[in-house]
């Protein structure tokens, strides 16, 4: 097992001639690709100086992805805290915390102001009707504000582009009485288009707490149910050749068990969340001027039930409202300019027996500008700056610069920027743990890398990254009487992200991703950095065979280093094997199946949490 990261990297280097850059799992970013997340002044992949991975609709289907978090397991630089459906999920980008990654769905900014720090928990988010997922890594505060120190996850859903009506559906059954299904309708008639999707999922266990680390031994036995169902949709109107409107939204309801780290308990949580947005867009006839105005709302409501909660449940409700204007001018000439403004209102309502009641608000006004310069053919320079005016902390500014030079099938790129993260309402004002004296934490960092895209044969990426944070907000258990939030210490991270997609034969595709992260902390600000114990090496290798038309077979190996930074204990390094297959009976009907953790390996992604053993699933997809 310990040899796996070295072997993976050797395979990558041996197969990639001098130039390497990963765009894993069918996510090619060739010269004609569009990347909407990485810049406000350009969406041409060859001009992007940031590190971005695109997970395509084809990749989601081939890997039989049900939950979005599972698609991120194979993205370089990303660490996900669980691979189990429904379990509380944190996503770390380049060593960042979960609250330092910004999530977007079709331009709607997600984030729960009633959580510990305004952040998004993606455990219930399914991959149904997603067209692509763009993962932008590194400091992005100059473009996206306070919650984007680590990076951005932007989800773009499907939209009808052809006249007529289409219907698709999926149904699946498998281990632990898992039932998963959904259906969607897409339609377009002249200037009007729409999509409506319904999804559902449930399973009956096993225990969330791992019997292998139970305390006392043998005390963990109950199965832990999980279910979720939801709806999503969008509707658009092309009012004129230059003006269009659309409405977007989703709603979901979910139920999860909440075992302790090493014990069973009867605690549960019900979560309901929804988001909606309206957008108006203007595009000049020559394509040089673009303007978008978006108004959005995201609401998350959590009810916790247990022996220490209110009989009706402890309530945490967060609301995030936003109004955003983005304007861009310039085409393929020597200069492009983008500017915009945002207003954001955050509110939390908390009624609990656990830590007291809370009702607080905060708002932020922001303005940004970005410019792109193209002094010679193939070279693009961008610079961005932003100022945020917070109703509690005053103003703070961030900046970012990138360079991209594309030549032939290769692109050299580099970026550097600063970030800022404001504390959340819970951290500031919770009656038991809050600290109203907290301030803004800051970060800086960058990366250098190379991308390679040879049509039909090879796609690769290699990146070196570095970053640091100051004045981090942490929970200190020594603060009387129950612990609380304070601000001290520093962290720094550096590492390598790599990926490869090779197609040496028409029926054979090889994929490889690898991440190495060196993460260190200096809690007392003395300059004595020590290793934080987080996983250092993460890798995925896969081989896909397509022996006949409409048939595929994939063998996938995932490796992850041990984790010594988690609460309660350390996890060991592990390697798991999955097998996936699919066959299109016709162009409209496909059957598929997978066996995960084929060898029934015993492992923990996070200490004390029970991963699933060998599991088999089968399903059918229909589209007409």
């Amino acid at each position: 097992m310990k040899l796996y990261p070295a072997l993976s990297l050797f395979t990558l280097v041996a197969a990639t001639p001098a130039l390497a850059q990963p765009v894993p799992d069918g996510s090619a970013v060739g010269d004609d690709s569009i990347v909407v997340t990485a810049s406000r002044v350009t969406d041409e992949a060859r001009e992007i100086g940031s590190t971005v991975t695109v997970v395509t609709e084809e990749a989601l289907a081939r890997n039989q992805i049900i939950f979005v978090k599972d698609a991120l397991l194979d993205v370089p630089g990303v660490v996900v805290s669980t691979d189990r459906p429904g379990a509380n999920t944190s996503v770390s980008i380049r060593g960042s915390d979960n609250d330092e990654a910004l999530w977007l769905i079709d331009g709607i900014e997600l984030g729960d102001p009633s959580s510990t720090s305004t952040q998004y928990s993606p455990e219930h988010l399914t991959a149904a009707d997603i067209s692509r997922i763009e993962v932008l890594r590194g400091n992005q505060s100059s473009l996206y504000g306070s919650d984007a120190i680590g990076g951005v996850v932007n989800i773009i859903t499907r939209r009808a582009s052809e006249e007529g009506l289409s219907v698709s559906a999926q149904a699946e059954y498998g281990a632990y009485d898992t039932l998963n299904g959904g259906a969607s309708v897409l339609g377009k008639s002249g200037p009007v288009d729409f999509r409506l999707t319904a999804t559902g999922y449930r399973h009956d266990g096993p225990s969330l707490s791992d019997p292998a680390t139970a305390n006392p031994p043998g005390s963990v036995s109950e199965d832990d149910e999980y279910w979720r169902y939801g709806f999503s949709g969008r509707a658009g109107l092309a009012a004129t050749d230059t003006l269009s409107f659309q409405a977007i939204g989703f709603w979901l309801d979910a139920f999860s068990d909440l075992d302790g780290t090493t014990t069973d308990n009867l605690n549960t949580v019900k979560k309901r969340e929804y988001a909606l947005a309206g957008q108006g867009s203007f595009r000049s006839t020559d394509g040089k001027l673009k303007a978008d105005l978006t108004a959005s709302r995201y609401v998350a409501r959590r009810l916790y039930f247990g022996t220490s909660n209110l009989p009706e449940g402890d309530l945490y409700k967060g609301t995030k409202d936003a109004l955003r204007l983005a304007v861009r001018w310039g085409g393929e000439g020597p200069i492009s300019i983008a500017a915009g403004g945002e207003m954001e209102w955050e509110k939390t309502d908390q009624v609990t027996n656990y830590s007291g009641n809370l009702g607080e608000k905060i708002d932020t006004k922001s303005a940004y500008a970005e410019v792109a310069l193209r002094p010679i053919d193939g070279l693009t320079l961008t610079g961005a700056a932003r100022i945020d005016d917070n109703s509690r902390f005053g103003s703070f500014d961030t900046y970012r610069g990138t360079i991209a030079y594309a030549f032939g099938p290769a692109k050299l790129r580099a970026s550097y920027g600063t970030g800022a993260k404001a504390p959340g309402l819970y951290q500031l004002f919770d009656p038991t743990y809050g600290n109203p004296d907290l301030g803004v934490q800051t970060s800086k960092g960058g990366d250098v890398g190379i991308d390679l895209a040879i049509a039909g044969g090879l796609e690769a990426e290699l990146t070196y990254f570095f970053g640091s944070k100051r004045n981090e907000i942490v929970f200190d258990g020594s603060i009387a009487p129950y612990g609380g939030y304070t601000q001290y210490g520093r962290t720094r991270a550096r590492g390598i992200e790599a990926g490869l997609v090779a197609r040496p034969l028409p029926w054979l595709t090889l994929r490889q991703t690898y991440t190495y992260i060196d993460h260190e902390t200096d809690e007392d600000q003395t300059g004595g950095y020590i290793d934080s114990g987080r996983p250092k090496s993460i890798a995925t290798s896969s081989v896909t065979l397509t022996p006949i038309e409409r048939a595929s077979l994939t063998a996938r190996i995932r490796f992850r280093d041990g984790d010594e930074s988690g609460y309660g204990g350390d996890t060991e390094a592990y390697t798991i094997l999955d097998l996936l297959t699919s066959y299109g009976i016709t162009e409209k009907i496909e059957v598929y199946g997978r066996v995960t953790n084929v060898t029934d390996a015993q492992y923990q992604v996070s200490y004390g949490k029970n991963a699933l053993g060998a599991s088999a699933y089968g399903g059918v997809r229909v589209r007409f």
Side-chain angles (χ1 to χ4, degrees):
M1 289 185 186
K2 292 291 187 181
L3 293 177
Y4 183 84
L7 179 60
S8 297
L9 189 57
F10 172 79
T11 302
L12 173 71
V13 173
T16 309
L19 305 177
Q21 175 239 311
V23 259
D25 235 5
S27 55
V29 182
D31 282 349
D32 58 351
S33 298
I34 299 299
V35 179
V36 301
T37 313
S39 173
R40 302 295 180 104
V41 288
T42 180
D43 50 20
E44 300 292 334
R46 65 181 182 274
E47 297 184 340
I48 300 298
S50 303
T51 310
V52 59
T53 293
V54 180
V55 182
T56 64
E57 182 179 3
E58 182 271 337
L60 294 172
R62 185 185 61 254
N63 287 301
Q64 301 178 26
I65 298 296
I66 298 174
F67 293 93
V68 169
K69 67 183 180 65
D70 296 326
L72 304 184
L73 291 169
D74 305 323
V75 174
V78 177
V79 180
V80 183
S81 64
T82 181
D83 59 3
R84 175 168 171 154
N88 185 53
T89 302
S90 295
V91 174
S92 171
I93 302 178
R94 294 182 172 175
S96 69
D97 294 326
N98 187 66
D99 62 350
E100 296 164 347
L102 177 67
W103 288 70
L104 301 167
I105 295 183
D106 292 328
I108 304 174
E109 186 173 311
L110 308 180
D112 181 2
S114 72
S115 62
T116 303
S117 173
T118 303
Q119 59 187 301
Y120 182 64
S121 298
E123 53 263 23
H124 309 307
L125 190 62
T126 70
D129 273 329
I130 289 178
S131 175
R132 58 198 274 138
I133 303 171
E134 297 184 356
V135 183
L136 179 61
R137 305 192 287 282
N139 266 309
Q140 309 299 330
S141 288
S142 62
L143 296 180
Y144 291 99
S146 174
D147 299 327
I149 285 179
V152 179
V153 180
N154 185 24
I155 297 168
I156 302 165
T157 63
R158 292 174 61 202
R159 185 171 186 174
S161 58
E162 298 180 355
E163 289 288 323
L165 193 68
S166 66
V167 179
S168 59
Q170 176 179 337
E172 177 182 306
Y173 179 77
Y176 310 107
D177 272 341
T178 295
L179 288 171
N180 172 55
S184 65
V185 180
L186 284 85
K188 187 177 188 303
S189 177
V192 177
D193 69 273
F194 74 93
R195 175 184 60 81
L196 180 62
T197 303
T199 57
Y201 178 95
R202 55 146 290 185
H203 71 229
D204 290 337
S207 173
L208 275 168
S209 185
D210 195 337
T213 49
N215 186 20
S219 61
V220 171
S221 60
E222 69 169 2
D223 287 343
D224 290 326
E225 178 188 9
Y226 167 68
W227 55 258
R228 57 87 62 204
Y229 60 91
F231 303 91
S232 67
R234 65 191 299 170
L237 170 66
T240 69
D241 291 340
T242 59
L243 189 62
S244 63
F245 302 92
Q246 67 170 329
I248 312 158
F250 75 85
W251 177 93
L252 68 85
D253 212 3
F255 171 88
S256 306
D257 205 295
L258 293 173
D259 278 358
T261 303
T262 58
T263 58
D264 266 337
N265 61 46
L266 300 178
N267 295 348
T268 60
V269 58
K270 291 183 177 179
K271 183 175 183 180
R272 180 171 296 169
E273 57 182 307
Y274 71 86
L276 52 90
Q279 184 183 74
S281 298
F282 172 82
R283 302 289 185 269
S284 64
T285 53
D286 62 4
K288 289 187 175 182
L289 178 61
K290 301 178 181 180
D292 297 300
L293 179 64
T294 303
S296 66
R297 164 169 285 194
Y298 171 75
V299 178
R301 179 179 181 270
R302 294 171 288 142
L303 276 174
Y304 291 87
F305 299 91
T307 55
S308 61
N309 303 122
L310 296 170
E312 64 274 22
D314 280 7
L315 169 68
Y316 296 84
K317 181 180 179 182
T319 303
K320 175 182 279 194
D321 293 324
L323 181 65
R324 298 182 177 86
L325 173 65
V327 180
R328 185 172 90 181
W329 179 88
E332 298 179 353
I335 184 170
S336 298
I337 300 172
E342 302 178 2
M343 298 181 66
E344 191 171 272
W345 299 267
E346 297 180 9
K347 177 184 178 183
T348 182
D349 293 296
Q350 174 180 316
V351 181
T352 75
N353 185 54
Y354 179 68
S355 63
N357 299 344
L358 174 64
E360 292 286 347
K361 301 177 181 179
I362 200 167
D363 63 78
T364 305
K365 302 177 182 67
S366 309
Y368 70 86
E370 186 181 13
V371 60
L373 302 176
R374 306 173 182 90
I376 62 173
D377 185 42
L379 178 62
T380 306
L381 310 172
T382 72
R386 181 188 183 99
I387 185 166
D388 291 88
D389 184 26
N390 187 280
S391 61
R392 180 168 183 85
F393 306 107
S395 299
F396 50 92
D397 58 84
T398 54
Y399 63 86
R400 190 164 188 271
T402 74
I403 180 171
Y405 179 57
F407 55 99
K411 180 181 72 175
L412 300 173
R413 54 182 164 76
S415 69
Y416 183 85
T418 62
K421 170 67 178 176
L425 294 171
Y426 183 93
Q427 292 170 326
L428 287 166
F429 303 120
D430 180 78
T432 301
Y433 305 111
N435 178 358
D437 296 325
L438 295 175
V440 174
Q441 67 180 33
T442 60
S443 70
K444 58 184 179 181
D447 54 45
V448 293
I450 184 169
D451 300 344
L452 183 66
I454 300 175
L458 182 67
E459 300 152 15
E461 162 193 355
L462 183 64
T463 304
Y464 171 78
F465 67 86
F466 57 93
S468 63
K469 293 183 289 185
R470 290 178 175 268
N471 300 320
E472 285 198 275
I473 299 167
V474 297
F475 186 83
D476 188 342
S478 67
I479 297 176
Y482 306 111
Y485 290 96
T486 188
Q487 197 160 16
Y488 60 80
R490 299 176 290 192
T491 63
R492 65 186 184 191
R494 52 189 177 269
I496 296 171
E497 301 162 342
L500 177 72
V501 180
R503 301 176 180 87
L505 297 168
W507 48 269
L508 174 64
T509 304
L510 309 175
R511 296 178 177 87
Q512 177 69 59
T513 66
Y514 176 75
T515 301
Y516 174 82
I517 301 178
D518 181 16
H519 190 273
E520 299 176 316
T521 62
D522 175 23
E523 292 188 351
D524 54 8
Q525 301 193 42
T526 62
Y529 282 93
I530 60 172
D531 188 87
S532 66
R534 296 188 182 191
K536 287 187 177 297
S537 292
I538 299 176
T540 300
S541 301
S542 70
V543 178
T544 298
L545 306 177
T546 53
I548 59 175
E549 186 180 2
R550 297 199 299 265
S552 72
L553 174 64
T554 297
R556 179 180 63 207
I557 297 175
R558 287 176 174 153
F559 168 88
R560 177 164 164 160
D561 240 341
D563 186 350
E564 300 175 3
S565 66
Y567 173 77
D570 304 339
T571 67
E572 299 292 330
Y574 64 83
T575 302
I576 56 173
L577 169 65
D578 304 327
L579 298 176
L580 305 92
T581 187
S582 66
Y583 177 66
I585 299 173
T586 69
E587 292 185 355
K588 298 179 180 180
I589 302 175
E590 179 187 43
V591 292
Y592 66 90
R594 66 187 179 278
V595 180
T596 58
N597 192 7
V598 172
T599 62
D600 200 27
Q602 302 298 304
Y603 70 99
Q604 295 180 354
V605 182
S606 298
Y607 180 76
K609 299 306 180 183
N610 192 15
L612 300 182
S615 305
Y617 306 87
V620 59
R621 299 187 185 107
V622 179
R623 180 173 294 184
F624 56 90

